[in-house]
Amino acid sequence: TLSTTGITGLRVRDIVTAKSIASSHHNFVVTVDSDLKPDELVELDLSAIGESNSAFEINIAPHVQTQIVLRDRCQGNTALNLSVNVGKGANVKFVFLTEQSATGIHYGHFSVNVGRDAVLSAGIISLGGSVVRRSFDSRFDDVSGEMILLGATHTTDGQYSEHRTVVDHNIPHCRSFVDFRCAVDGEGSHSVWIGDTIIRYNAIGSDT
């Protein structure tokens, strides 16, 4: 189901995200509930022409197994902020793809909130756009959550790609794994990944 109410679970970590949220933008709330068949694919395609500014909240109900693909193929400068909230015991495979056909500057923040005994396997793939800047952070809502984050970029012909990730072990007995790979081709092309992991004093039994 889709609605256009307010966004929850999105954390503002930089001035770029703060400005895009403070500016006029479109809100979309997507709910993935238990009516889905196990591992059913949910596809979200963004294909705006011209400048666009959107914020998405994706809520996965408890114990749901699903696959989600979010494709950004927008033609023009695109702000896209995203919150993914994974319910208790859910198992989610999520891909956030900036298509090779995308043009302009693409940027925004991606917040993840993982529930008790839930597993999120997320991939961030950036291919298109003249400049792509994605930031990511994750937190655990309860114990025994697991978050796997994989990333891949291919920059060519002077493209610039930047990804920043923060994994916050704020709850005991949770697991995380992060791996980003970047390929650069051509003069003036740049690709950057900056990754941090925080383990709080109370997060005993963390595995990262």
Side-chain angles (χ1 to χ4, degrees), residues 35-201:
D35 292 339
L36 259 67
K37 299 176 182 177
D39 290 324
E40 186 171 348
L41 180 62
V42 177
E43 297 183 85
L44 303 170
D45 284 330
L46 281 71
S47 55
I49 297 176
E51 290 196 12
S52 63
N53 185 355
S54 301
F56 277 77
E57 175 186 341
I58 301 176
N59 299 310
I60 295 96
H63 307 292
V64 167
Q65 297 182 48
T66 189
Q67 303 176 72
I68 302 171
V69 177
L70 173 60
R71 295 185 179 90
D72 174 7
R73 59 182 90 214
C74 296
Q75 307 292 302
N77 295 346
T78 303
L80 175 57
N81 295 295
L82 174 65
S83 169
V84 175
N85 305 304
V86 184
K88 178 181 177 180
N91 192 318
V92 181
K93 297 178 177 67
F94 188 99
V95 175
F96 183 4
L97 172 62
T98 305
E99 292 273 12
Q100 194 167 6
S101 60
T103 61
I105 299 170
H106 294 248
Y107 62 96
H109 189 74
F110 180 4
S111 287
V112 162
N113 306 283
V114 180
R116 184 184 184 101
D117 299 321
V119 178
L120 173 67
S121 301
I124 301 176
I125 303 170
S126 298
L127 302 176
S130 57
V131 175
V132 176
R133 185 184 186 276
R134 306 289 189 199
S135 56
F136 171 95
D137 80 308
S138 69
R139 290 176 65 89
F140 296 97
D141 290 337
D142 207 337
V143 298
S144 300
E146 181 174 352
M147 197 282 303
I148 300 168
L149 176 63
L150 305 176
T153 68
H154 181 210
T155 57
T156 184
D157 298 328
Q159 287 177 300
Y160 178 85
S161 176
E162 178 182 309
H163 293 75
R164 296 173 176 262
T165 63
V166 177
V167 177
D168 190 346
H169 279 262
N170 58 309
I171 296 289
H173 302 294
C174 292
R175 297 172 297 280
S176 69
F177 177 82
V178 180
D179 189 10
F180 265 70
R181 304 296 173 97
C182 304
V184 178
D185 180 21
E187 185 175 352
S189 302
H190 298 275
S191 188
V192 181
W193 170 54
I194 302 166
D196 293 298
T197 299
I198 302 168
I199 301 178
R200 307 288 179 177
Y201 74 93

